[in-house]
Amino acid sequence: MTKKNTELESGKIKISEDVYATIVTIAALETKGIHHMSSTFNDGVNTFFRRKSDHEGVKISFNDEGAISVTLYVCIQYGYRIPDVALRLQEHIKTALVSYTEIEVQTIDVVVQDIIFDDLVTPSQS
C-alpha cells in the first residue's frame, strides 16, 4: 500500500496510501464550490460489506517511478462554474500533496457526479 519511500541516513520514511487519501480529502473539502465527495461503485460495495472508508470518492494510484495519480469523485454546489472549481481543486490538491509529502504528482482527475441545489426554493415551498 505504501509507494513513496524516502531514504535518509538514519532510515526510510514510508507514507501510507491512506495518508495521501486523507490529505486529498481535506484539501478537496476546503475548496470553494465543492459540496461533498461522491461515492463510487467500489465505495458502495465496501459499505455493503461494512468496510466503509473515510476516503469516499478518492482513488489513489502510483506509477513505476512513484509519482501519484489521483481521481476524485465530487459533487459541486449550484452556482459555481464547473471548469473553475475543477481547476482550483486540482491546484489545491497538488499544492497540499507536494507541501506535505514532497511527492511528484502525475495527474489529478476530477469527475463531477452531481450538482447540489441547497439554497433554491422550489415553487411548492413558497
Side-chain angles (χ1 to χ4, degrees):
M1 204 174 244
T2 48
K3 293 290 182 177
K4 175 66 174 167
N5 297 329
T6 305
E7 303 241 0
L8 302 173
E9 289 180 21
S10 57
K12 292 182 182 180
I13 298 174
K14 296 181 181 182
I15 300 174
S16 170
E17 190 174 308
D18 287 340
V19 173
Y20 292 114
T22 298
I23 293 168
V24 169
T25 301
I26 291 169
L29 294 174
E30 289 176 346
T31 303
K32 190 173 183 179
I34 298 297
H35 190 274
H36 66 273
M37 306 299 286
S38 181
S39 60
T40 63
F41 176 75
N42 287 341
D43 294 332
V45 170
N46 286 338
T47 301
F48 180 75
F49 289 110
R50 307 221 188 271
R51 294 182 302 216
K52 182 153 173 52
S53 170
D54 293 331
H55 313 295
E56 189 173 274
V58 177
K59 286 176 56 179
I60 303 284
S61 61
F62 299 90
N63 68 10
D64 294 336
E65 292 82 40
I68 192 169
S69 292
V70 178
T71 304
L72 298 164
Y73 297 86
V74 297
C75 295
I76 293 182
Q77 293 175 333
Y78 176 77
Y80 288 89
R81 231 176 137 257
I82 294 172
D84 293 343
V85 172
L87 180 62
R88 194 171 340 134
L89 180 60
Q90 289 171 322
E91 291 170 349
H92 196 187
I93 288 172
K94 182 176 182 178
T95 300
L97 284 170
V98 171
S99 69
Y100 288 125
T101 66
E102 297 182 358
I103 193 166
E104 180 185 339
V105 178
Q106 183 177 13
T107 60
I108 299 174
D109 298 322
V110 178
V111 179
V112 178
Q113 290 195 312
D114 203 359
I115 297 174
I116 305 300
F117 299 89
D118 274 346
D119 299 331
L120 291 182
V121 177
T122 59
S124 63
Q125 294 176 338
S126 317

